[in-house]
Amino acid sequence: MIILAVETSCDETSVAILKDGKEVLSNVVLSQIDIHKVFGGVVPEIASRNHIKYLTTVFDEALEKAKVTPNEIDLVAVTEGPGLIGALLIGINAASAFAYANSIPLIGINHLHGHIYAASIDNEIKFPAIILLVSGGHTELIYAKDHFDFEIIGQTYDDAVGEAYDKVARVLGLSYPGGPIIDKLAQEGKAIYNFPRPVMDSGDLNFSFSGLKSSVINFVHNNRQKNIELDVKDVSASFQEAVIDVLINKTKAAIEKHPVKQLIIGGGVAANKGLRRRVFEEIPNVEIIIPKMQYCTDNAAMIAAAAYYKYKKDGPLPNYLLGGYST
Ligand code: KG4
Ligand code: ZN
């Protein structure tokens, strides 16, 4: 089964073509990071305008790389949310037009399901599973009984973990997105500062990162006022250690509460080298699967992978056709 997927929920314009949910024939990702960097974050209107500008070229490149013609495609998938509404609309309109023009069925995919199924591209997902979803907009622990049978058992009260990374990076004078930069600096620094681990021992599976973020920001400001120079590497390592301590602690608690066959980690922060290393060292007795680096941050291959399993589960999909269009 050949699926073409479109992802435009934030600042990546991406089209991918996958065979049977696993074989990536193409995954073209045009990142707008350089465009948004100067603003210190994503500007929604600019993101939408750049999706319009580049999406047809990205479509053509994906088809060309995959050596697939439209009449060979069995299903078109598109991210239907959550995300920036204007940005999503560009992808949905393009995918709908392509599907309609070529008489191909269309399916809408939840972006977070994409992050979960990113791990299925190179691994076999097994249920029941605990999913740790860590992105720029979400931080969730999910108990998955089966495909698309997901229950959120813990989530953040405030900031998502990626958001905390990006805000801490900003105060440290690092550019957007700060997550990968802090991760790199953390590998070179020492975790000598003891930042708080909010709600780590609360007994439930929820998270809070806003207090940790504020604590790091205050620490940096206080030292600047006293003209004390801080080593950005050590601050990064200390912040990252606090974040990962919390993520690992809560994930272990989730697995203790709900014995599972697998732990699946997904979302942009799953690209974090410190997290990837420590989960294998500190979470025993469960198979852990994490997507390859290129499938952690936003991309259309993960949307195609999710679409494959969603289509298999829901069959002829009348409920998932966008705008009531049917072939
Ligand atoms: O999943 P994603 O691409 O977009 C959302 O759906 O939000 O995640 C983007 C987030 C950003 O906050 C970025 O800083 C963070 O993932 N991120 C990282 C790393 N790579 C990306 N955070 C920590 N370490 C990384 N290596
Ligand atoms: Zn994402």
Side-chain angles (χ1 to χ4, degrees), residues 23-70:
E23 198 182 328
V24 182
L25 304 179
S26 65
N27 181 37
V28 181
V29 184
L30 189 125
S31 171
Q32 299 178 14
I33 282 176
D34 286 341
I35 297 168
H36 297 276
K37 228 177 207 170
V38 287
F39 303 103
V42 177
V43 183
E45 175 67 16
I46 295 176
S48 305
R49 285 172 187 267
N50 280 285
H51 286 314
I52 293 176
K53 198 167 167 187
Y54 295 114
L55 189 50
T56 43
T57 316
V58 172
F59 247 95
D60 288 344
E61 200 180 322
L63 287 161
E64 215 168 276
K65 274 198 175 146
K67 296 192 175 55
V68 160
T69 53

Side-chain angles (χ1 to χ4, degrees), residues 111 115 135 298 302:
H111 180 77
H115 277 306
S135 72
D298 292 348
M302 68 184 196

Side-chain angles (χ1 to χ4, degrees), residues 124-200:
E124 217 49 66
I125 289 190
K126 293 172 198 153
F127 297 104
I130 288 286
I131 301 159
L132 173 66
L133 191 71
V134 276
S135 72
H138 294 81
T139 302
E140 291 175 358
L141 275 164
I142 297 161
Y143 178 64
K145 274 202 208 114
D146 199 351
H147 287 290
F148 298 97
D149 186 354
F150 301 143
E151 184 195 344
I152 297 173
I153 52 172
Q155 58 190 313
T156 181
Y157 290 116
D158 39 60
D159 289 6
V161 60
E163 193 181 344
Y165 263 98
D166 295 339
K167 301 238 169 88
V168 164
R170 202 169 177 168
V171 83
L172 291 174
L174 309 170
S175 78
Y176 176 84
I181 306 172
I182 291 195
D183 186 17
K184 189 164 179 289
L185 292 170
Q187 313 303 319
E188 298 158 19
K190 289 191 197 73
I192 52 175
Y193 304 113
N194 189 21
F195 293 126
R197 274 83 170 142
V199 303
M200 188 159 84

